[in-house]
PDB file of all heavy atoms in Angstrom:
ATOM      1  N   ALA A 659    -169.626  49.668  -4.806  1.00  0.00           N
ATOM      2  CA  ALA A 659    -169.092  51.003  -5.215  1.00  0.00           C
ATOM      3  C   ALA A 659    -170.283  52.081  -5.357  1.00  0.00           C
ATOM      4  O   ALA A 659    -170.133  53.173  -4.915  1.00  0.00           O
ATOM      5  CB  ALA A 659    -168.354  50.868  -6.566  1.00  0.00           C
ATOM      6  N   TRP A 660    -171.405  51.572  -5.864  1.00  0.00           N
ATOM      7  CA  TRP A 660    -172.555  52.454  -5.949  1.00  0.00           C
ATOM      8  C   TRP A 660    -173.165  52.872  -4.645  1.00  0.00           C
ATOM      9  O   TRP A 660    -173.403  54.015  -4.491  1.00  0.00           O
ATOM     10  CB  TRP A 660    -173.662  51.732  -6.814  1.00  0.00           C
ATOM     11  CG  TRP A 660    -174.905  52.486  -6.892  1.00  0.00           C
ATOM     12  CD1 TRP A 660    -176.054  52.257  -6.248  1.00  0.00           C
ATOM     13  CD2 TRP A 660    -175.150  53.542  -7.894  1.00  0.00           C
ATOM     14  NE1 TRP A 660    -177.010  53.255  -6.603  1.00  0.00           N
ATOM     15  CE2 TRP A 660    -176.444  54.086  -7.679  1.00  0.00           C
ATOM     16  CE3 TRP A 660    -174.335  54.173  -8.860  1.00  0.00           C
ATOM     17  CZ2 TRP A 660    -177.026  55.018  -8.348  1.00  0.00           C
ATOM     18  CZ3 TRP A 660    -174.935  55.158  -9.607  1.00  0.00           C
ATOM     19  CH2 TRP A 660    -176.301  55.600  -9.319  1.00  0.00           C
ATOM     20  N   SER A 661    -173.120  51.950  -3.757  1.00  0.00           N
ATOM     21  CA  SER A 661    -173.633  52.215  -2.351  1.00  0.00           C
ATOM     22  C   SER A 661    -172.677  53.192  -1.665  1.00  0.00           C
ATOM     23  O   SER A 661    -173.251  54.030  -0.774  1.00  0.00           O
ATOM     24  CB  SER A 661    -173.775  50.990  -1.555  1.00  0.00           C
ATOM     25  OG  SER A 661    -172.569  50.380  -1.155  1.00  0.00           O
ATOM     26  N   LEU A 662    -171.382  53.120  -1.901  1.00  0.00           N
ATOM     27  CA  LEU A 662    -170.504  54.020  -1.266  1.00  0.00           C
ATOM     28  C   LEU A 662    -170.649  55.437  -1.695  1.00  0.00           C
ATOM     29  O   LEU A 662    -170.255  56.443  -1.052  1.00  0.00           O
ATOM     30  CB  LEU A 662    -168.949  53.573  -1.522  1.00  0.00           C
ATOM     31  CG  LEU A 662    -168.607  52.317  -0.769  1.00  0.00           C
ATOM     32  CD1 LEU A 662    -167.199  51.957  -1.197  1.00  0.00           C
ATOM     33  CD2 LEU A 662    -168.629  52.495   0.704  1.00  0.00           C
ATOM     34  N   LEU A 663    -171.256  55.690  -2.928  1.00  0.00           N
ATOM     35  CA  LEU A 663    -171.500  57.046  -3.471  1.00  0.00           C
ATOM     36  C   LEU A 663    -173.016  57.374  -3.025  1.00  0.00           C
ATOM     37  O   LEU A 663    -173.406  58.407  -3.633  1.00  0.00           O
ATOM     38  CB  LEU A 663    -171.438  57.007  -4.952  1.00  0.00           C
ATOM     39  CG  LEU A 663    -169.998  56.915  -5.400  1.00  0.00           C
ATOM     40  CD1 LEU A 663    -169.926  56.693  -7.044  1.00  0.00           C
ATOM     41  CD2 LEU A 663    -169.207  58.156  -5.168  1.00  0.00           C
ATOM     42  N   ARG A 664    -173.598  56.698  -2.249  1.00  0.00           N
ATOM     43  CA  ARG A 664    -174.994  57.016  -1.911  1.00  0.00           C
ATOM     44  C   ARG A 664    -175.290  58.439  -1.401  1.00  0.00           C
ATOM     45  O   ARG A 664    -176.267  58.981  -1.805  1.00  0.00           O
ATOM     46  CB  ARG A 664    -175.421  56.032  -0.840  1.00  0.00           C
ATOM     47  CG  ARG A 664    -176.922  56.071  -0.529  1.00  0.00           C
ATOM     48  CD  ARG A 664    -177.318  55.047   0.376  1.00  0.00           C
ATOM     49  NE  ARG A 664    -176.409  54.959   1.577  1.00  0.00           N
ATOM     50  CZ  ARG A 664    -176.387  53.935   2.424  1.00  0.00           C
ATOM     51  NH1 ARG A 664    -177.121  52.826   2.247  1.00  0.00           N
ATOM     52  NH2 ARG A 664    -175.616  53.981   3.447  1.00  0.00           N
ATOM     53  N   PRO A 665    -174.301  59.121  -0.688  1.00  0.00           N
ATOM     54  CA  PRO A 665    -174.626  60.486  -0.231  1.00  0.00           C
ATOM     55  C   PRO A 665    -174.615  61.442  -1.405  1.00  0.00           C
ATOM     56  O   PRO A 665    -175.181  62.522  -1.283  1.00  0.00           O
ATOM     57  CB  PRO A 665    -173.447  60.765   0.655  1.00  0.00           C
ATOM     58  CG  PRO A 665    -172.931  59.427   1.169  1.00  0.00           C
ATOM     59  CD  PRO A 665    -173.147  58.543   0.012  1.00  0.00           C
ATOM     60  N   ARG A 666    -174.149  61.054  -2.564  1.00  0.00           N
ATOM     61  CA  ARG A 666    -174.186  61.960  -3.722  1.00  0.00           C
ATOM     62  C   ARG A 666    -175.583  61.939  -4.419  1.00  0.00           C
ATOM     63  O   ARG A 666    -176.187  60.891  -4.419  1.00  0.00           O
ATOM     64  CB  ARG A 666    -173.111  61.611  -4.778  1.00  0.00           C
ATOM     65  CG  ARG A 666    -171.620  61.691  -4.200  1.00  0.00           C
ATOM     66  CD  ARG A 666    -171.266  62.998  -3.969  1.00  0.00           C
ATOM     67  NE  ARG A 666    -169.806  63.111  -3.519  1.00  0.00           N
ATOM     68  CZ  ARG A 666    -168.800  63.317  -4.194  1.00  0.00           C
ATOM     69  NH1 ARG A 666    -168.959  63.589  -5.500  1.00  0.00           N
ATOM     70  NH2 ARG A 666    -167.575  63.457  -3.826  1.00  0.00           N
ATOM     71  N   PRO A 667    -175.948  63.038  -5.136  1.00  0.00           N
ATOM     72  CA  PRO A 667    -177.196  62.939  -5.918  1.00  0.00           C
ATOM     73  C   PRO A 667    -177.090  61.885  -6.923  1.00  0.00           C
ATOM     74  O   PRO A 667    -175.970  61.623  -7.445  1.00  0.00           O
ATOM     75  CB  PRO A 667    -177.219  64.398  -6.501  1.00  0.00           C
ATOM     76  CG  PRO A 667    -176.419  65.213  -5.600  1.00  0.00           C
ATOM     77  CD  PRO A 667    -175.338  64.266  -5.077  1.00  0.00           C
ATOM     78  N   GLY A 668    -178.228  61.416  -7.409  1.00  0.00           N
ATOM     79  CA  GLY A 668    -178.292  60.265  -8.352  1.00  0.00           C
ATOM     80  C   GLY A 668    -177.501  60.637  -9.664  1.00  0.00           C
ATOM     81  O   GLY A 668    -176.828  59.753 -10.074  1.00  0.00           O
ATOM     82  N   SER A 669    -177.809  61.874 -10.283  1.00  0.00           N
ATOM     83  CA  SER A 669    -177.115  62.098 -11.483  1.00  0.00           C
ATOM     84  C   SER A 669    -175.612  62.126 -11.293  1.00  0.00           C
ATOM     85  O   SER A 669    -174.811  61.789 -12.193  1.00  0.00           O
ATOM     86  CB  SER A 669    -177.628  63.485 -12.024  1.00  0.00           C
ATOM     87  OG  SER A 669    -177.406  64.459 -11.184  1.00  0.00           O
ATOM     88  N   GLU A 670    -175.087  62.774 -10.164  1.00  0.00           N
ATOM     89  CA  GLU A 670    -173.715  62.755  -9.921  1.00  0.00           C
ATOM     90  C   GLU A 670    -173.095  61.437  -9.705  1.00  0.00           C
ATOM     91  O   GLU A 670    -171.980  61.181 -10.102  1.00  0.00           O
ATOM     92  CB  GLU A 670    -173.434  63.715  -8.741  1.00  0.00           C
ATOM     93  CG  GLU A 670    -171.904  64.040  -8.493  1.00  0.00           C
ATOM     94  CD  GLU A 670    -171.857  65.033  -7.315  1.00  0.00           C
ATOM     95  OE1 GLU A 670    -172.902  65.385  -6.674  1.00  0.00           O
ATOM     96  OE2 GLU A 670    -170.654  65.317  -6.987  1.00  0.00           O
TER      97      GLU A 670
END
Side-chain angles (χ1 to χ4, degrees):
W660 177 259
S661 70
L662 290 173
L663 287 170
R664 187 173 52 194
R666 299 291 183 99
S669 58
E670 190 176 357

